[in-house]
Amino acid sequence: MADSKAADKIIHEILPVGLLQCNCSVVGDPHTREAIVIDPGDEVDRILEVVTRHNLKVRAILSTHAHIDHVGGLRKMKEATGAPVLMHPEDLELYKRLDRQASWLGMRVPAMVEVDESLREGDAVRWGRYLARVMHTPGHTRGSVCLYMPPDLAAEQAAQPGKLFAGDTLFAGSIGRTDLWGGSFDLIMRSLQTKLLALPDDTLVYPGHGPVTSIGEERETNPFLTVG
Ligand SMILES: [Zn+2]
Ligand SMILES: [Zn+2]
């Protein structure tokens, strides 16, 4: 039965894309071939190559927040897949300032796209047999969200820990900066303490930049989370 077990394994590929190496995730159901794409910030051709290689049908394009390194490829991704683009409404204003964000970084302004649907606290995004819960985690930006895939949804996931797509709210050993437009240190600390640290220790955390970590590891060692 080794083969059928392998075929049951969730498809998850992480691609660091663009100048700031934003971690884009492609998460697919091996049975239904349905997938979501999180934060296609740039290099959409590389992301589409992964989608094609796994023979996936993209059902939704999710944005953790509207910083340029996370949203630069939304338009191209939507045009290539026909999938809707989802974002928290409180980041729409930031998204509209893409030209200013581009000029800060000396980048060209990426093509904008219409945001199709809202991601709000408690919403469930479903694809194939999977589900991700939206956690509104303001602080890095007003409309920052984390996406949480609980461990017990599909039987073959039961032995696997949950997964958290943390955007720029939580990193391995650090947290998102709060000195940019719409940022708030008080809010990000509240988001971390009340929402992310409420998750089980074995939850795998996929930050918007840098290496994978876990809630338990950050609870123990992250200097922003161990004080007090
Ligand atoms: Zn950011
Ligand atoms: Zn970022």
Side-chain angles (χ1 to χ4, degrees):
M1 294 302 284
D3 284 344
S4 80
K5 259 194 184 143
D8 267 347
K9 202 168 178 298
I10 188 169
I11 296 163
H12 182 193
E13 294 220 18
I14 306 162
L15 299 90
V17 295
L19 185 70
L20 299 175
Q21 295 285 281
C22 161
N23 285 328
C24 169
S25 271
V26 177
V27 187
D29 182 323
H31 291 291
T32 69
R33 296 285 148 191
E34 292 170 285
I36 58 167
V37 175
I38 302 170
D39 287 354
D42 202 349
E43 301 187 62
V44 171
D45 292 340
R46 270 180 67 215
I47 303 167
L48 289 171
E49 189 274 321
V50 167
V51 169
T52 306
R53 174 152 47 84
H54 290 287
N55 190 26
L56 297 172
K57 167 85 186 152
V58 178
R59 291 298 186 203
I61 304 161
L62 311 182
S63 177
T64 61
H65 66 294
H67 278 152
I68 191 167
D69 51 323
H70 298 254
V71 297
L74 288 180
R75 167 78 172 260
K76 210 173 161 186
M77 199 71 214
K78 181 174 170 177
E79 283 176 353
T81 61
V85 170
L86 287 76
M87 185 185 291
H88 194 283
E90 285 190 52
D91 257 19
L92 289 175
E93 201 179 334
L94 179 61
Y95 186 51
K96 290 186 192 125
R97 297 180 182 206
L98 217 47
D99 53 344
R100 240 175 294 178
Q101 294 191 50
S103 72
W104 291 335
L105 291 166
M107 291 166 65
R108 67 184 165 72
V109 187
M112 306 254 317
V113 73
E114 195 72 35
V115 173
D116 300 285
E117 291 168 40
S118 291
L119 291 175
R120 293 177 196 271
E121 171 72 22
D123 282 355
V125 178
R126 294 169 195 278
W127 72 105
R129 298 156 304 158
Y130 300 141
L131 166 149
R133 273 288 159 209
V134 177
M135 304 171 99
H136 181 210
T137 49
H140 176 63
T141 67
R142 290 177 186 171
S144 279
V145 298
C146 294
L147 300 157
Y148 177 58
M149 289 180 71
D152 55 350
L153 193 75
E156 62 273 24
Q157 255 186 285
Q160 302 289 320
K163 291 174 185 272
L164 182 79
F165 299 92
D168 286 358
T169 297
L170 178 62
F171 301 117
S174 189
I175 64 172
R177 58 190 289 184
T178 54
D179 58 331
L180 300 174
W181 186 84
S184 159
F185 185 75
D186 288 348
L187 278 181
I188 202 171
M189 288 311 291
R190 197 183 310 166
S191 294
L192 290 160
Q193 298 287 355
T194 64
K195 293 188 176 169
L196 300 200
L197 290 186
L199 296 172
D201 276 343
D202 66 351
T203 305
L204 292 170
V205 178
Y206 299 89
H209 304 267
V212 178
T213 181
S214 71
I215 290 293
E217 175 73 17
E218 296 313 306
R219 197 194 306 277
E220 288 286 304
T221 63
N222 189 312
F224 292 90
L225 305 180
T226 51
V227 213

